[in-house]
Structures are given as C-alpha cells and as structure tokens.
Amino acid sequence: MTSPAPEADVSAAAYREAMAQLASAVHLVTTDGPGGRAGLTASSVCSVSDAPPTLLVCLNRASSAYPAFLRNGVLCINTLSAGHEGLAADFAGRVPPGERFTGEGWGQLETGAPVLSEALIAFDCRIVDRHAVGTHDVLICAVAALAEARGADRLLYANRRYHVLPR
Ligand SMILES: NC(=O)C1=CN([C@@H]2O[C@H](COP(=O)(O)OP(=O)(O)OC[C@H]3O[C@@H](n4cnc5c(N)ncnc54)[C@H](O)[C@@H]3O)[C@@H](O)[C@H]2O)C=CC1
Ligand SMILES: Cc1cc2nc3c(=O)[nH]c(=O)nc-3n(C[C@H](O)[C@H](O)[C@H](O)COP(=O)(O)O)c2cc1C
C-alpha cells in the first residue's frame, strides 16, 4: 500500500483546472461476477506494457461501482466512439447504477465483464494488482481479450466537454 502523499502545495481546484486542459479518450469501464454488474465512465486509462499486454485505470473508491470491481477481479475497458456521448453521461451518474445496462447491445469476451458491442475497442481484462493513492485505486489490468470495431470517429474529452476526432 502506498503511504499517504505529503501535503500538496497545489490546490485541488487548481489541479483540476490544469487537468481539464488534457484531452483523453473516454471509456465505459464495466465489470460482472459474484459482486454484481457495474460500470462507470472513465478517462484515466493508459497503457503500461505490451509484454505482457497491461493497462491501468484509476478508480475512485467513492464510486458506487468500486466494490463490484474489487469483488469480481475483472473489468472491460470499452473505448467510446463519436455518438456515445449519451452513454458516457449515463455511466457518469446521469443514470442510477442499477439502470445503466438497459440499452445498447452488451456481450462478453473472456472474463464475463460486459462488452459494448459498438465500442471502438474493448479491452477485456483481469485485475492483477492494485495501489491505493489518495482517493483512488490504480488498478493494474492484464488484457485477456480484445475486440475492435474499426473505422469509427473517436470520442475525446477536454475542457469539460466531449469532442470528436475523425478517424
Ligand atoms: N479521474 C477521475 O476520477 C475523473 C473524475 N471526473 C469527475 O467527473 C465530473 C466532471 O468532471 P469535469 O466536468 O471534467 O470537471 P472537473 O473540474 O471536476 O475535473 C477537471 C479534470 O480534473 C481531473 N479530476 C477531476 N476530479 C478528479 C478526481 N476526483 N480524481 C482525479 N482527477 C480528477 C480530471 O482530469 C478532470 O477532467 C467531476 O465530478 C469529476 O470529479 C472527471 C474526469 C476524471
Ligand atoms: C469524462 C469523465 C471521465 C471520468 N473519469 C473517471 C475515472 O477515470 N475514474 C473515476 O473513478 N471516475 C471517473 N469519472 C467519474 C465517474 O464516471 C462517475 O461520475 C463517478 O464514479 C460517480 O458515479 P456513480 O454514480 O457510479 O458513483 C469520470 C467522469 C467523466 C464525466
């Protein structure tokens, strides 16, 4: 477990203002298993290694979905394409947790985590490590399967709004 960070000399508000300038892909991070089905919108996804294929996602422990991710030990990173802004808003809290999977086609790959059939890319993963840092857990995930729907425009998030990056 990582020791608590020393008192930051940058305010959280100033940090958020700075971070809002960064453009990132947008994902629905989903899970299913003994802990139930859950999901949230996330932008804190990045590659760690390609040998073996490994990525990370940072999960707020206050999120309603957090207990399910820990209990299930698996997740899917569903990278969104243009036209999925509504889904991103739904999974970011616009829709209550228990009602987030009613629409859209959802399937599975290896782990049983929900896979959005129209996702630009789906990274089906097993959680192999976890580091608590401040309010979040950094989840280290081994990629067990991949699916991709080529050719769609990308959905980005920057300056607190969504943007489309043509393919
Ligand atoms: N990594 C995260 O946990 C993120 C959380 N959010 C949440 O989504 C909501 C909408 O955010 P915005 O409209 O973009 O404005 P905002 O001013 O709350 O956030 C601006 C930027 O700061 C960073 N950020 C915000 N809250 C954070 C947190 N609790 N932990 C780590 N980084 C954080 C993100 O990069 C975000 O794009 C807010 O409640 C925000 O907390 C948004 C993006 C990332
Ligand atoms: C564009 C965007 C990116 C987000 N990225 C993350 C993230 O990387 N990690 C995280 O824990 N929450 C992130 N959130 C916040 C969650 O989607 C959600 O708002 C929060 O978990 C509360 O949802 P709940 O109703 O499931 O508790 C993001 C929100 C938005 C709008």
Side-chain angles (χ1 to χ4, degrees):
M1 290 291 257
T2 310
S3 58
E7 203 47 48
D9 53 11
V10 174
S11 73
Y15 176 74
R16 284 196 297 272
E17 196 51 42
M19 284 305 274
Q21 313 310 313
L22 272 62
S24 56
V26 187
H27 317 267
L28 301 186
V29 185
T30 62
T31 187
D32 203 352
R37 192 166 63 168
L40 75 155
T41 299
S43 55
S44 63
V45 173
C46 82
S47 179
V48 176
S49 166
D50 66 353
T54 310
L55 58 80
L56 68 80
V57 57
C58 304
L59 189 53
N60 195 323
R61 290 191 295 275
S63 165
S64 65
Y66 177 77
F69 281 96
L70 248 58
R71 177 83 176 77
N72 295 334
V74 299
L75 59 82
C76 187
I77 304 283
N78 296 278
T79 304
L80 298 182
S81 52
H84 285 148
E85 288 181 35
L87 264 180
D90 292 349
F91 277 69
R94 185 171 69 178
V95 166
E99 299 167 27
R100 289 179 188 168
F101 291 89
T102 48
E104 303 294 335
W106 294 93
Q108 296 179 6
L109 286 169
E110 290 277 316
T111 70
V115 175
L116 182 67
S117 50
E118 290 181 357
L120 188 70
I121 307 277
F123 300 88
D124 191 30
C125 301
R126 291 186 175 84
I127 302 169
V128 295
D129 202 354
R130 176 167 68 92
H131 299 273
V133 180
T135 53
H136 284 55
D137 279 8
V138 182
L139 303 181
I140 308 297
C141 307
V143 180
L146 281 171
E148 49 186 302
R150 292 184 186 282
D153 292 341
R154 282 105 178 105
L155 187 68
L156 297 182
Y157 191 70
N159 290 325
R160 301 183 174 90
R161 59 189 177 86
Y162 296 100
H163 308 261
V164 172
L165 176 65
R167 61 185 176 283

